[in-house]
Structure formats: structure tokens, C-alpha cells
Amino acid sequence: MASSLRELRQRRKSVSATMKITKAMELIAASKVIRAQQAGVRALPYTRELNRAMSALATHASVDHPLTRHVEQPRRAALLMFTSDRGMNGAFNTNLIKTAARMRARLESQGVEVRRYVVGRKGIAYHKFREIPVIQSWEGFSDAPTYAHAQEIADVLMEAFMTPYEEGGVDEIHAVYTRMESMLTQTPRVRRLLPLEVVEGVHTLDELGHIPQYEFEPDADTVLNAVMPQYIRSRVWFYMLQTAASILASQQRAMKSATDNANQLIESLTREANQARQAEITQEITEIVGGASALAEASAQD
């Protein structure tokens, strides 16, 4: 019984130490997710104005741009996945990888060859373990991305898209990221990054409800060539910010759940330890009483 009591106390001590770690990780994730959400808010005005400019360019330009040119029967597509660098964030990576797998299956069912591009160590490890080839990968910044990272990734994808198919290029680029719906809900989504779906004749109203007037120098087509790469980079940047916030929110929720479970386990182990200690005390009292009775009987016989 004494050995069992020691084991219970050791387990309780171990779980208590683990709970301190999960609680600390929960608090760290909570502070970081606020900064990640603020980064998304700060990037929103630029993204909104860039979208407005793209709408105006789509109206006034010829829209015959390589990045908007649609292939009737795509033969090869790139699939960009945004995973996390670290674990302990619940089912975040599992849900995203499953969504990417469904998208890959759909493309391959249409006869499209899929080439993978992966962001995050977890996604890289997933493909490496299964010996699935990855064209290019990035890691080390999934929960704290910068615009420079987004620019690097976007430029690589645009180069692959601009390269002819015969030289190893792709006809489409799809991105799989996680949208931050709320602190409790993060949803994996698939979006076609290239070619862009541009609708002619659509105007974006300003805050006063007016159609803004634009002048393009030297002309709309030239401006479109300059703005289009910036638009692609901003989309990748948006996906990265959403993914970072989702990672941290998932980690906070997972660590809170782990902390609550550890606390419940400590309470259970404490009850078991108290019961074991009580049984041990009862056993000792029984042995003392039994010994005293034996001595009394021996004395009476003498």
C-alpha cells in the first residue's frame, strides 16, 4: 500500500509540473494571438485599397494579362499549404492537411498533375515521412510571418505560373489556409490564387457611396502589370496572417483544455492518494491493535 501511495504522489507531482507548462503556453498563446489579430487589422486598409485599385484596373484595362489568363483544360497545378511550425495546437494541422488532400484528389480526378508547396515544419514533416515530393518549402515563421516572407513565397509561385508548361510551369495555383473565424472557430479554406478571376465592369464604391474616378499613367495596362504582383503578394500575406492567428488561437484552446484535464487528474489523484493514506493508517491501527491483543493473550497465559 505504501508503494502505491508513493506512486500516486509521484504521478500527482508530475501532472502538476505539466499543468504549469500548459498554463504558461496558454497565456503566451493568448498574448500572441492578440498581436496576430492586430497585424491583420493593420494590413486591412492596404488590402482594401489594393482590391479597389484592382477593380478599377479590371474595368479600364484590357484584362489580357498572363496572371489573369485562364486555361480551359489545366494540366498542372500548384497546391500551396500553410501549416504550423510547432505542434500542441489541437487538430489544426490535421484539418488543414485533410482539406488539402481533398483538393488534391479533386484536381487529380480531373487529370491535373499536382505540385506541392508547403509552409510550416509540420506540413514538411508530413510529406517527408510519406515520401511525397515537395517542390519548395518554407519554415520558421508560421506564427509570426512578415511581409518579406509573403513576397518571397508569392514571387516563387508567380514565376512557376509564368513559366510555360513544357518547361515545368503550372496552369493554376491553389492555396489552402485556415481562416480565423473567432477564438473558438478556425476553418480551413481553399482559394484559387492564380489565375485571377477578374470581372469586368464591376466598380467598388467609396465610403460615401460614389464610384471613384481614376487616372492611369501611362495607361491602365502598364499599371496593371505593376499592380498585379503586389496584389498576389497581398493575398499571400492575408493567408499568412489568418493562418498565424488561427495557429495561436488553436494552441490557446488546446493548452486550456490540457490545463483543465490536468487539474481534473490532479484532483482525482489527490482523492486516490487520500484514500490510500487512509487505508494505510487503518492497516497500521489494525496491526497495532492486533499486536496488543496478542501480547495481552500471551501475558494471560503466563
Side-chain angles (χ1 to χ4, degrees):
M1 185 64 68
S3 175
S4 175
L5 181 60
R6 272 198 310 272
E7 291 175 359
L8 289 171
R9 287 174 173 172
Q10 289 173 354
R11 286 185 60 193
R12 184 175 60 185
K13 184 178 179 180
S14 176
V15 173
S16 179
T18 301
M19 186 179 69
K20 292 179 181 179
I21 295 174
T22 58
K23 183 63 177 179
M25 293 183 67
E26 176 191 348
L27 296 176
I28 292 172
S31 65
K32 286 185 176 181
V33 73
I34 295 175
R35 292 198 295 269
Q37 289 177 313
Q38 291 173 345
V41 172
R42 289 194 300 268
L44 188 59
Y46 174 79
T47 303
R48 184 186 297 117
E49 292 302 321
L50 191 56
N51 291 344
R52 184 175 299 172
M54 285 297 300
S55 177
L57 285 167
T59 301
H60 295 88
S62 63
V63 199
D64 185 19
H65 190 278
L67 296 180
T68 63
R69 195 171 298 137
H70 180 70
V71 178
E72 292 298 331
Q73 294 182 345
R75 293 165 291 180
R76 184 182 295 134
L79 188 62
L80 175 64
M81 300 168 52
F82 292 93
T83 64
S84 69
D85 287 318
R86 300 179 182 86
M88 304 187 77
N89 46 31
F92 173 85
N93 291 297
T94 301
N95 293 336
L96 186 132
I97 289 173
K98 287 181 178 179
T99 302
R102 288 194 293 268
M103 183 61 189
R104 175 191 56 78
R106 186 170 72 84
L107 290 171
E108 290 180 345
S109 67
Q110 298 171 357
V112 179
E113 176 190 353
V114 178
R115 292 194 169 184
R116 297 168 177 83
Y117 295 78
V118 182
V119 179
R121 293 192 185 100
K122 288 300 179 180
I124 297 171
Y126 172 87
H127 289 83
K128 184 177 181 180
F129 179 77
R130 290 161 178 78
E131 298 182 348
I132 302 174
V134 173
I135 302 302
Q136 191 161 342
S137 61
W138 299 266
E139 59 181 270
F141 52 82
S142 61
D143 59 351
T146 65
Y147 187 80
H149 296 132
Q151 181 175 348
E152 178 185 352
I153 295 171
D155 290 350
V156 168
L157 295 174
M158 283 189 289
E159 182 180 358
F161 187 79
M162 299 294 288
T163 301
Y165 171 81
E166 293 74 16
E167 299 177 15
V170 298
D171 298 321
E172 291 182 349
I173 296 178
H174 300 270
V176 185
Y177 74 103
T178 303
R179 179 67 181 265
M180 176 74 170
E181 307 289 352
S182 68
M183 289 298 297
L184 298 177
T185 306
Q186 297 82 44
T187 309
R189 292 190 175 185
V190 181
R191 291 291 182 267
R192 194 179 78 181
L193 189 60
L194 289 172
L196 293 176
E197 296 182 273
V198 179
V199 181
E200 293 187 67
V202 176
H203 300 276
T204 301
L205 302 181
D206 60 15
E207 289 79 0
L208 300 177
H210 301 146
I211 298 177
Q213 300 298 317
Y214 293 90
E215 291 184 3
F216 302 102
E217 295 182 1
D219 56 70
D221 291 335
T222 303
V223 176
L224 181 62
N225 289 331
V227 174
M228 190 73 76
Q230 297 296 329
Y231 179 78
I232 300 301
R233 291 165 187 161
S234 74
R235 298 311 301 170
V236 174
W237 177 229
F238 172 77
Y239 298 153
M240 293 174 70
L241 290 176
Q242 288 290 314
T243 298
S246 298
I247 289 172
L248 295 168
S250 298
Q251 185 179 45
Q252 180 189 2
R253 190 170 65 253
M255 291 301 97
K256 184 180 186 308
S257 177
T259 301
D260 293 342
N261 291 338
N263 189 50
Q264 292 177 4
L265 183 56
I266 288 174
E267 292 178 356
S268 175
L269 290 172
T270 300
R271 285 195 299 269
E272 291 184 31
N274 291 338
Q275 292 173 357
R277 177 58 180 160
Q278 185 64 41
E280 186 179 74
I281 293 173
T282 302
Q283 180 66 26
E284 291 175 355
I285 293 174
T286 302
E287 291 176 355
I288 292 172
V289 172
S293 299
L295 289 174
E297 291 177 0
S299 299
Q301 292 176 358
D302 293 339

